[in-house]
Amino acid sequence: MFKRLSTELALIYAALFGLVLTLIACAVWVAVDANSRQAVRAEMSASSAVFDRLWRLRADQLSQTADVLARDFGFRKAVATGDSETIISALDNLQSRFGLDSAFVVDPDGRLLSKDKSQGAMAEPALLDALNNRPEASGVLMLDGAPYQAVAAPINAPTLIGWAVFAKRLGGADLGELENLSAIPLTAHLYIHGKDGRWISADQRGGRGPGVSSDDLAQRAFAATRPGSGSRSGEELIDIPEDNSTAGVKRLESFGGDVPAALVLEYSLSVNQAHYRSMLVQILLIGFAGLIALVAGSWFVSGRVTGPISGLRAAASRLAHGEVAEVRVKGRNEIAELAVNFNIMSDEIAAREKRIIHLAQHDNETGLPNLRGLDKRLGEMRAKTDPAHIFGAVLGVDRFHQVRSAIGHALSARLIAEIAARISGSFGELFVGRMTTETLAVVFHAESEEAALRTISAIAELASQPMRLSEDRIDVLVTAGVACDGDGADTRLSLLERAEVAMEQARAKRTRTASFDRTAYGDPSAALSLMGSMVLGLTRGELFLAHQPKLDLRGGKVASAEALLRWRHPQRGMIPPDRFIGMAEETGHIRPLTDWVIDRAISDQRKLREAGRDMQLSVNVSGRLIANEQFADRALRQIRRSGANLCFEITETAVIDNPKLAVDVMKDLRDAGVGISIDDYGSGLSSLSYLRTIPAQELKIDKTFVQGMARGNSDALLVKSTIDLAHSLGMKVAAEGVETADVLALLQAMGADTAQGFFIARPMPIDDFVKFEVAGDAIAPRPAPTLRGLA
C-alpha cells in the first residue's frame, strides 16, 4: 500500500494517536455531559425548593391576612348586617396594604362582594363548591380566566356567614423573581389547564423556541407529575432533548382541586456546558499539536530506522545484479549489526561467486579453462580481431582410452595437463583449454590458414614427444584439427566443433594435422532430413524391394533371389541405397528399416508361392543388428509364423564388436531354418578364423574380384582358391557382379554354385519378378574358356 516504510509508520502512529485522542475527547464529553446534567438536576431541586418556600410564604401571608380579617368583629358584623361599604372599605384597605390583586367576600348563597365586583354577582360554581368542601381552601384559582394564588378564610358569627378570599395574580413578575433567586440561569413557566382543554401559560412572555412548543412541554410536565407517574410530592425532572435542556416540574395545589397547574423550571444544558467547550477546544488544540509533534517525531524516528534499511535494500539490489555491495551504518544497534552481517554475507557471496565462475570456466581435474572459458576467450578475441585471423584447434590424444585404462584416471588427467603446460610454455601467445576428456582446444591468432597449420603442426609435434609421469615413460601421439573463425557462416557448427571435425578428418586420412574440409563434412542436416523422409516413405509406399535372381550354375535355373531395397522419392527420384542405408545405420533407423524389409520379403515370397514358384529370398542384415537379441527374436517370430524361407546376408565384420553374442544369434537363426550367407567376402578384413567361427551355409564373393576375372589377372586365382576353401569348409559359393558370359562360364568351370549379376537379370519389382519366373527365363552357361594357370 505504501512505498515507504517511514510514511507507513508515521501514518500508523498518527492514526493510533488520533484514535486515542478521539476516545479521550469522547470520554471527556460524556463525563462533562453527565456532570452537567447532575449539576443541573441538583440546581433544579434547589430552585424548586426555593419556589416551594416562596409559594408557602405567600400562601401563609395571604392566609394570615384573610384570617385576621375574618376574625375582626366589626368586619364580621358588617358581613352579617350586609354593610357593603364597610366590607368594601376593609377589603380595599387590606388590598392596598398587602398588594393583593383581588380580595372579595362570598356569602353562603354564592353572592360576591368586593371593590371590583358588582354587588350581588354570583360566584362560579367551582369556587362555591371549593369553599363548601374546603372552608380554608388554598391554591391556584382561575378568576376571569386568569390564574391566581388564592386563600380563603371562613367568617363565623358564630355560624358560617361567608368567606373572605384573598388572591395574588400569578404572572411574569413572580416567575422573574424566582428566576433571579436561582443560582443558575433558568427559565420559569407556569402552565394551567383551562376548561376549554387548552394549556395556559401564566407567564405571558411569548412562545417558546423552535424545539418544543408550550403545549407539548405542558403535557410532558403534567404527565410526569400526575398521580401514579412515580413522582414524589408532585415534583419531577424531565429531559428535553429537542432543546438540549432539562426541566424541573412541580405540580401546584389547586384551589378547588380541579384546576391542573404546574411550575416548569427549564435550564439549557448548552448554557451549562458552554464553559466546558473552551476546555474541550483546548484539549483538541493540545491534541492536534501533539498529533503534529507525533507525526514529525515518527517521521524522524522512522527515517532513522528506514534509512539504513533503504541502504540495505539498495545494497541487496546491487548484490542481486552481481555488483559489489557494502553498507555503512553508524552505531551499535540491531540495524548496525544487521549491516555488518550483510557486509560479511556480501563478501562471502562475492568470494563464492568468484569461485563458482572459476569452476564454471575451468576443468575440475586439470584446472585448465573448459569450453565456457574457451568461448569467453573467443568472445574477447572477436571484439578486438577480425574473425578471418582467429583460429581454433582441437588436439586429441590417440588411443586415449587405452592409455587411461593403463595409467588410471588421475594420471590421465595429469597427462592432459602436462601436454597443455608444454604447449603454453613453448607458445605463450596461445590460449589452451580442455574441451573434452581426451582433447585439448587452442585458440590463437594467425595471418592465414597456412600459418595456422604450421603452428598446429609444431604444437602436435611438441605434444607427441614422450613424457614421464610418476616414474612411467608414456609415449603420446596427438592428432590435431584446425578451423578458421571466419569460415563458419555456412555451417551450424561452432569454431571448436569444426576444429574437432577437422581432427576426426585427420585421423580418417591418417595424417597428423588437417584443416576443416567442408566438402568432406557434407550436410548432416540434410542427412537427418533424408532420414525423416525415409520414415515417411515407409508409410507412403515409396520404398519397395527389387529382387535379383540367383542362377544355379549346376541346374541352369533360378533357384533363389536377393531382395534389394529401393527408394523412389516423389521429388528426388530414385535414391541409391548407398546414400540412405549408411545414414540409417548411423542414426539408428536401421532397425525399423530392416524389420520392414523382412516383412516385405515375407509378403513377396507369399506372392511367389501363389504363382507356383517357391524359392529362398536373401535379405541383407546390418552387422549392427546381428548381435541384437531383440531384433533376432522378432525376425524369428515373423519367419516361424509365416513359414518363410529366408537367408540373411551378413558381412564378416558383424562379429568384430561382440563375437560370442553374434555367433550365438546366428546359430539360433540357423537352427530355425534361416540361411546364413557371408556377404562381400574379400572386400573387408577377411579372416580364416571368422570363416571357421561363423555358422554360415554360403560364402558370397565380392563383385570386385568377380568382375576382374575376365582381365586375366590374379583375381581369377583368388576366386578359384576361395571357392575351393569354402567347399572344403562345407559352404556353398555365390558370386555377384556377373556381367558377361565369359565370367559366368569361368565361375561354372571353377565350381561356383550360384551367380547373380546384370548378365543374368537386373533387380526387378515383385510383379515383374513373378512374370520373369513364370516365363521360365534361364540362361544356359557357355563353355568355360581355358585360362592359363588354372587347375
PDB file of all heavy atoms in Angstrom, residues 385-392 444-457 482-487 515:
ATOM      1  N   THR A 385      39.657  -8.520 -32.879  1.00  0.00           N
ATOM      2  CA  THR A 385      40.351  -9.042 -34.056  1.00  0.00           C
ATOM      3  C   THR A 385      39.352  -9.464 -35.116  1.00  0.00           C
ATOM      4  O   THR A 385      38.242  -9.907 -34.802  1.00  0.00           O
ATOM      5  CB  THR A 385      41.220 -10.251 -33.661  1.00  0.00           C
ATOM      6  OG1 THR A 385      42.049  -9.887 -32.548  1.00  0.00           O
ATOM      7  CG2 THR A 385      42.110 -10.686 -34.819  1.00  0.00           C
ATOM      8  N   ASP A 386      39.787  -9.343 -36.364  1.00  0.00           N
ATOM      9  CA  ASP A 386      38.993  -9.817 -37.497  1.00  0.00           C
ATOM     10  C   ASP A 386      38.841 -11.339 -37.403  1.00  0.00           C
ATOM     11  O   ASP A 386      39.830 -12.060 -37.216  1.00  0.00           O
ATOM     12  CB  ASP A 386      39.705  -9.433 -38.790  1.00  0.00           C
ATOM     13  CG  ASP A 386      38.879  -9.802 -40.024  1.00  0.00           C
ATOM     14  OD1 ASP A 386      37.781 -10.348 -39.859  1.00  0.00           O
ATOM     15  OD2 ASP A 386      39.357  -9.538 -41.142  1.00  0.00           O
ATOM     16  N   PRO A 387      37.599 -11.869 -37.539  1.00  0.00           N
ATOM     17  CA  PRO A 387      37.413 -13.325 -37.439  1.00  0.00           C
ATOM     18  C   PRO A 387      38.256 -14.109 -38.434  1.00  0.00           C
ATOM     19  O   PRO A 387      38.546 -15.289 -38.192  1.00  0.00           O
ATOM     20  CB  PRO A 387      35.916 -13.499 -37.707  1.00  0.00           C
ATOM     21  CG  PRO A 387      35.301 -12.210 -37.315  1.00  0.00           C
ATOM     22  CD  PRO A 387      36.317 -11.158 -37.663  1.00  0.00           C
ATOM     23  N   ALA A 388      38.651 -13.503 -39.531  1.00  0.00           N
ATOM     24  CA  ALA A 388      39.465 -14.218 -40.522  1.00  0.00           C
ATOM     25  C   ALA A 388      40.849 -14.547 -39.982  1.00  0.00           C
ATOM     26  O   ALA A 388      41.538 -15.408 -40.547  1.00  0.00           O
ATOM     27  CB  ALA A 388      39.584 -13.387 -41.800  1.00  0.00           C
ATOM     28  N   HIS A 389      41.281 -13.899 -38.901  1.00  0.00           N
ATOM     29  CA  HIS A 389      42.600 -14.153 -38.310  1.00  0.00           C
ATOM     30  C   HIS A 389      42.492 -14.893 -36.976  1.00  0.00           C
ATOM     31  O   HIS A 389      43.483 -14.983 -36.241  1.00  0.00           O
ATOM     32  CB  HIS A 389      43.356 -12.837 -38.117  1.00  0.00           C
ATOM     33  CG  HIS A 389      43.600 -12.091 -39.403  1.00  0.00           C
ATOM     34  ND1 HIS A 389      44.382 -12.593 -40.414  1.00  0.00           N
ATOM     35  CD2 HIS A 389      43.134 -10.890 -39.841  1.00  0.00           C
ATOM     36  CE1 HIS A 389      44.421 -11.733 -41.423  1.00  0.00           C
ATOM     37  NE2 HIS A 389      43.656 -10.683 -41.100  1.00  0.00           N
ATOM     38  N   ILE A 390      41.293 -15.358 -36.652  1.00  0.00           N
ATOM     39  CA  ILE A 390      41.093 -16.123 -35.419  1.00  0.00           C
ATOM     40  C   ILE A 390      40.937 -17.593 -35.793  1.00  0.00           C
ATOM     41  O   ILE A 390      40.120 -17.957 -36.646  1.00  0.00           O
ATOM     42  CB  ILE A 390      39.855 -15.641 -34.649  1.00  0.00           C
ATOM     43  CG1 ILE A 390      40.004 -14.169 -34.249  1.00  0.00           C
ATOM     44  CG2 ILE A 390      39.618 -16.494 -33.408  1.00  0.00           C
ATOM     45  CD1 ILE A 390      38.772 -13.589 -33.586  1.00  0.00           C
ATOM     46  N   PHE A 391      41.729 -18.439 -35.139  1.00  0.00           N
ATOM     47  CA  PHE A 391      41.709 -19.869 -35.452  1.00  0.00           C
ATOM     48  C   PHE A 391      41.523 -20.656 -34.167  1.00  0.00           C
ATOM     49  O   PHE A 391      41.941 -20.232 -33.076  1.00  0.00           O
ATOM     50  CB  PHE A 391      43.004 -20.296 -36.144  1.00  0.00           C
ATOM     51  CG  PHE A 391      43.136 -19.764 -37.543  1.00  0.00           C
ATOM     52  CD1 PHE A 391      43.663 -18.502 -37.777  1.00  0.00           C
ATOM     53  CD2 PHE A 391      42.728 -20.523 -38.622  1.00  0.00           C
ATOM     54  CE1 PHE A 391      43.778 -18.002 -39.063  1.00  0.00           C
ATOM     55  CE2 PHE A 391      42.845 -20.035 -39.917  1.00  0.00           C
ATOM     56  CZ  PHE A 391      43.376 -18.773 -40.142  1.00  0.00           C
ATOM     57  N   GLY A 392      40.875 -21.785 -34.332  1.00  0.00           N
ATOM     58  CA  GLY A 392      40.709 -22.710 -33.233  1.00  0.00           C
ATOM     59  C   GLY A 392      41.217 -24.074 -33.642  1.00  0.00           C
ATOM     60  O   GLY A 392      41.040 -24.503 -34.783  1.00  0.00           O
ATOM     61  N   PHE A 444      43.899 -19.024 -31.118  1.00  0.00           N
ATOM     62  CA  PHE A 444      45.067 -18.182 -31.347  1.00  0.00           C
ATOM     63  C   PHE A 444      44.828 -17.324 -32.590  1.00  0.00           C
ATOM     64  O   PHE A 444      43.851 -17.509 -33.342  1.00  0.00           O
ATOM     65  CB  PHE A 444      46.325 -19.044 -31.534  1.00  0.00           C
ATOM     66  CG  PHE A 444      46.233 -20.022 -32.673  1.00  0.00           C
ATOM     67  CD1 PHE A 444      46.797 -19.736 -33.916  1.00  0.00           C
ATOM     68  CD2 PHE A 444      45.569 -21.244 -32.523  1.00  0.00           C
ATOM     69  CE1 PHE A 444      46.705 -20.638 -34.964  1.00  0.00           C
ATOM     70  CE2 PHE A 444      45.482 -22.147 -33.565  1.00  0.00           C
ATOM     71  CZ  PHE A 444      46.045 -21.844 -34.798  1.00  0.00           C
ATOM     72  N   HIS A 445      45.777 -16.382 -32.813  1.00  0.00           N
ATOM     73  CA  HIS A 445      45.763 -15.532 -33.988  1.00  0.00           C
ATOM     74  C   HIS A 445      46.741 -16.102 -35.022  1.00  0.00           C
ATOM     75  O   HIS A 445      47.787 -16.645 -34.670  1.00  0.00           O
ATOM     76  CB  HIS A 445      46.179 -14.095 -33.656  1.00  0.00           C
ATOM     77  CG  HIS A 445      45.251 -13.416 -32.702  1.00  0.00           C
ATOM     78  ND1 HIS A 445      45.397 -13.477 -31.338  1.00  0.00           N
ATOM     79  CD2 HIS A 445      44.145 -12.672 -32.932  1.00  0.00           C
ATOM     80  CE1 HIS A 445      44.450 -12.782 -30.752  1.00  0.00           C
ATOM     81  NE2 HIS A 445      43.663 -12.280 -31.702  1.00  0.00           N
ATOM     82  N   ALA A 446      46.383 -15.941 -36.278  1.00  0.00           N
ATOM     83  CA  ALA A 446      47.287 -16.324 -37.369  1.00  0.00           C
ATOM     84  C   ALA A 446      46.940 -15.485 -38.585  1.00  0.00           C
ATOM     85  O   ALA A 446      45.775 -15.093 -38.771  1.00  0.00           O
ATOM     86  CB  ALA A 446      47.175 -17.813 -37.688  1.00  0.00           C
ATOM     87  N   GLU A 447      47.957 -15.222 -39.406  1.00  0.00           N
ATOM     88  CA  GLU A 447      47.740 -14.386 -40.578  1.00  0.00           C
ATOM     89  C   GLU A 447      46.994 -15.122 -41.681  1.00  0.00           C
ATOM     90  O   GLU A 447      46.291 -14.506 -42.476  1.00  0.00           O
ATOM     91  CB  GLU A 447      49.094 -13.886 -41.110  1.00  0.00           C
ATOM     92  CG  GLU A 447      49.813 -12.948 -40.145  1.00  0.00           C
ATOM     93  CD  GLU A 447      48.995 -11.680 -39.872  1.00  0.00           C
ATOM     94  OE1 GLU A 447      48.314 -11.206 -40.813  1.00  0.00           O
ATOM     95  OE2 GLU A 447      49.034 -11.178 -38.735  1.00  0.00           O
ATOM     96  N   SER A 448      47.141 -16.434 -41.747  1.00  0.00           N
ATOM     97  CA  SER A 448      46.498 -17.198 -42.807  1.00  0.00           C
ATOM     98  C   SER A 448      46.285 -18.629 -42.329  1.00  0.00           C
ATOM     99  O   SER A 448      46.783 -19.035 -41.264  1.00  0.00           O
ATOM    100  CB  SER A 448      47.345 -17.188 -44.087  1.00  0.00           C
ATOM    101  OG  SER A 448      48.602 -17.821 -43.847  1.00  0.00           O
ATOM    102  N   GLU A 449      45.560 -19.389 -43.151  1.00  0.00           N
ATOM    103  CA  GLU A 449      45.327 -20.789 -42.822  1.00  0.00           C
ATOM    104  C   GLU A 449      46.621 -21.586 -42.865  1.00  0.00           C
ATOM    105  O   GLU A 449      46.820 -22.482 -42.039  1.00  0.00           O
ATOM    106  CB  GLU A 449      44.305 -21.379 -43.793  1.00  0.00           C
ATOM    107  CG  GLU A 449      43.897 -22.809 -43.447  1.00  0.00           C
ATOM    108  CD  GLU A 449      42.804 -23.335 -44.346  1.00  0.00           C
ATOM    109  OE1 GLU A 449      42.194 -22.521 -45.084  1.00  0.00           O
ATOM    110  OE2 GLU A 449      42.562 -24.552 -44.315  1.00  0.00           O
ATOM    111  N   GLU A 450      47.514 -21.247 -43.810  1.00  0.00           N
ATOM    112  CA  GLU A 450      48.791 -21.943 -43.882  1.00  0.00           C
ATOM    113  C   GLU A 450      49.613 -21.697 -42.622  1.00  0.00           C
ATOM    114  O   GLU A 450      50.236 -22.632 -42.072  1.00  0.00           O
ATOM    115  CB  GLU A 450      49.582 -21.492 -45.121  1.00  0.00           C
ATOM    116  CG  GLU A 450      48.984 -21.936 -46.440  1.00  0.00           C
ATOM    117  CD  GLU A 450      47.756 -21.120 -46.824  1.00  0.00           C
ATOM    118  OE1 GLU A 450      47.497 -20.081 -46.175  1.00  0.00           O
ATOM    119  OE2 GLU A 450      47.035 -21.533 -47.752  1.00  0.00           O
ATOM    120  N   ALA A 451      49.609 -20.457 -42.149  1.00  0.00           N
ATOM    121  CA  ALA A 451      50.344 -20.144 -40.921  1.00  0.00           C
ATOM    122  C   ALA A 451      49.746 -20.876 -39.734  1.00  0.00           C
ATOM    123  O   ALA A 451      50.461 -21.375 -38.855  1.00  0.00           O
ATOM    124  CB  ALA A 451      50.348 -18.636 -40.680  1.00  0.00           C
ATOM    125  N   ALA A 452      48.406 -20.958 -39.705  1.00  0.00           N
ATOM    126  CA  ALA A 452      47.754 -21.680 -38.615  1.00  0.00           C
ATOM    127  C   ALA A 452      48.099 -23.156 -38.656  1.00  0.00           C
ATOM    128  O   ALA A 452      48.360 -23.776 -37.612  1.00  0.00           O
ATOM    129  CB  ALA A 452      46.242 -21.479 -38.697  1.00  0.00           C
ATOM    130  N   LEU A 453      48.164 -23.748 -39.864  1.00  0.00           N
ATOM    131  CA  LEU A 453      48.541 -25.156 -39.988  1.00  0.00           C
ATOM    132  C   LEU A 453      49.967 -25.392 -39.533  1.00  0.00           C
ATOM    133  O   LEU A 453      50.269 -26.393 -38.866  1.00  0.00           O
ATOM    134  CB  LEU A 453      48.356 -25.616 -41.424  1.00  0.00           C
ATOM    135  CG  LEU A 453      46.967 -26.126 -41.809  1.00  0.00           C
ATOM    136  CD1 LEU A 453      46.902 -26.412 -43.301  1.00  0.00           C
ATOM    137  CD2 LEU A 453      46.610 -27.373 -41.005  1.00  0.00           C
ATOM    138  N   ARG A 454      50.865 -24.486 -39.866  1.00  0.00           N
ATOM    139  CA  ARG A 454      52.250 -24.641 -39.421  1.00  0.00           C
ATOM    140  C   ARG A 454      52.333 -24.583 -37.898  1.00  0.00           C
ATOM    141  O   ARG A 454      53.063 -25.367 -37.275  1.00  0.00           O
ATOM    142  CB  ARG A 454      53.123 -23.551 -40.040  1.00  0.00           C
ATOM    143  CG  ARG A 454      53.365 -23.728 -41.534  1.00  0.00           C
ATOM    144  CD  ARG A 454      54.498 -22.811 -41.996  1.00  0.00           C
ATOM    145  NE  ARG A 454      54.180 -21.407 -41.802  1.00  0.00           N
ATOM    146  CZ  ARG A 454      53.583 -20.633 -42.716  1.00  0.00           C
ATOM    147  NH1 ARG A 454      53.205 -21.148 -43.878  1.00  0.00           N
ATOM    148  NH2 ARG A 454      53.340 -19.362 -42.470  1.00  0.00           N
ATOM    149  N   THR A 455      51.571 -23.654 -37.306  1.00  0.00           N
ATOM    150  CA  THR A 455      51.585 -23.543 -35.833  1.00  0.00           C
ATOM    151  C   THR A 455      51.053 -24.813 -35.194  1.00  0.00           C
ATOM    152  O   THR A 455      51.639 -25.350 -34.245  1.00  0.00           O
ATOM    153  CB  THR A 455      50.754 -22.327 -35.387  1.00  0.00           C
ATOM    154  OG1 THR A 455      51.291 -21.142 -35.970  1.00  0.00           O
ATOM    155  CG2 THR A 455      50.755 -22.200 -33.873  1.00  0.00           C
ATOM    156  N   ILE A 456      49.930 -25.316 -35.706  1.00  0.00           N
ATOM    157  CA  ILE A 456      49.321 -26.505 -35.116  1.00  0.00           C
ATOM    158  C   ILE A 456      50.201 -27.728 -35.352  1.00  0.00           C
ATOM    159  O   ILE A 456      50.303 -28.623 -34.489  1.00  0.00           O
ATOM    160  CB  ILE A 456      47.913 -26.716 -35.685  1.00  0.00           C
ATOM    161  CG1 ILE A 456      47.004 -25.605 -35.170  1.00  0.00           C
ATOM    162  CG2 ILE A 456      47.352 -28.063 -35.284  1.00  0.00           C
ATOM    163  CD1 ILE A 456      46.928 -25.507 -33.659  1.00  0.00           C
ATOM    164  N   SER A 457      50.863 -27.801 -36.503  1.00  0.00           N
ATOM    165  CA  SER A 457      51.777 -28.922 -36.748  1.00  0.00           C
ATOM    166  C   SER A 457      52.913 -28.918 -35.747  1.00  0.00           C
ATOM    167  O   SER A 457      53.308 -29.978 -35.215  1.00  0.00           O
ATOM    168  CB  SER A 457      52.324 -28.834 -38.181  1.00  0.00           C
ATOM    169  OG  SER A 457      51.282 -28.971 -39.128  1.00  0.00           O
ATOM    170  N   VAL A 482      42.258 -27.991 -37.291  1.00  0.00           N
ATOM    171  CA  VAL A 482      42.210 -26.551 -37.162  1.00  0.00           C
ATOM    172  C   VAL A 482      41.099 -26.012 -38.046  1.00  0.00           C
ATOM    173  O   VAL A 482      40.785 -26.581 -39.097  1.00  0.00           O
ATOM    174  CB  VAL A 482      43.571 -25.909 -37.534  1.00  0.00           C
ATOM    175  CG1 VAL A 482      43.902 -26.133 -38.993  1.00  0.00           C
ATOM    176  CG2 VAL A 482      43.563 -24.419 -37.207  1.00  0.00           C
ATOM    177  N   ALA A 483      40.466 -24.911 -37.599  1.00  0.00           N
ATOM    178  CA  ALA A 483      39.407 -24.253 -38.352  1.00  0.00           C
ATOM    179  C   ALA A 483      39.516 -22.755 -38.135  1.00  0.00           C
ATOM    180  O   ALA A 483      40.013 -22.294 -37.103  1.00  0.00           O
ATOM    181  CB  ALA A 483      38.032 -24.752 -37.924  1.00  0.00           C
ATOM    182  N   CYS A 484      39.053 -22.010 -39.129  1.00  0.00           N
ATOM    183  CA  CYS A 484      39.094 -20.545 -39.076  1.00  0.00           C
ATOM    184  C   CYS A 484      37.736 -20.037 -38.628  1.00  0.00           C
ATOM    185  O   CYS A 484      36.688 -20.526 -39.069  1.00  0.00           O
ATOM    186  CB  CYS A 484      39.462 -19.979 -40.446  1.00  0.00           C
ATOM    187  SG  CYS A 484      39.530 -18.163 -40.475  1.00  0.00           S
ATOM    188  N   ASP A 485      37.752 -19.021 -37.778  1.00  0.00           N
ATOM    189  CA  ASP A 485      36.506 -18.464 -37.257  1.00  0.00           C
ATOM    190  C   ASP A 485      35.702 -17.774 -38.354  1.00  0.00           C
ATOM    191  O   ASP A 485      34.478 -17.696 -38.273  1.00  0.00           O
ATOM    192  CB  ASP A 485      36.811 -17.477 -36.123  1.00  0.00           C
ATOM    193  CG  ASP A 485      35.569 -17.096 -35.353  1.00  0.00           C
ATOM    194  OD1 ASP A 485      34.700 -17.966 -35.157  1.00  0.00           O
ATOM    195  OD2 ASP A 485      35.454 -15.926 -34.959  1.00  0.00           O
ATOM    196  N   GLY A 486      36.383 -17.273 -39.371  1.00  0.00           N
ATOM    197  CA  GLY A 486      35.682 -16.555 -40.427  1.00  0.00           C
ATOM    198  C   GLY A 486      35.047 -17.437 -41.459  1.00  0.00           C
ATOM    199  O   GLY A 486      34.377 -16.934 -42.380  1.00  0.00           O
ATOM    200  N   ASP A 487      35.223 -18.774 -41.369  1.00  0.00           N
ATOM    201  CA  ASP A 487      34.706 -19.686 -42.394  1.00  0.00           C
ATOM    202  C   ASP A 487      33.512 -20.493 -41.916  1.00  0.00           C
ATOM    203  O   ASP A 487      33.201 -21.520 -42.502  1.00  0.00           O
ATOM    204  CB  ASP A 487      35.811 -20.662 -42.835  1.00  0.00           C
ATOM    205  CG  ASP A 487      36.950 -19.934 -43.515  1.00  0.00           C
ATOM    206  OD1 ASP A 487      36.725 -18.807 -43.991  1.00  0.00           O
ATOM    207  OD2 ASP A 487      38.067 -20.492 -43.548  1.00  0.00           O
ATOM    208  N   SER A 515      43.047 -29.320 -41.865  1.00  0.00           N
ATOM    209  CA  SER A 515      42.098 -28.215 -41.780  1.00  0.00           C
ATOM    210  C   SER A 515      40.686 -28.749 -42.013  1.00  0.00           C
ATOM    211  O   SER A 515      40.488 -29.809 -42.619  1.00  0.00           O
ATOM    212  CB  SER A 515      42.422 -27.143 -42.823  1.00  0.00           C
ATOM    213  OG  SER A 515      43.673 -26.556 -42.557  1.00  0.00           O
TER     214      SER A 515
END
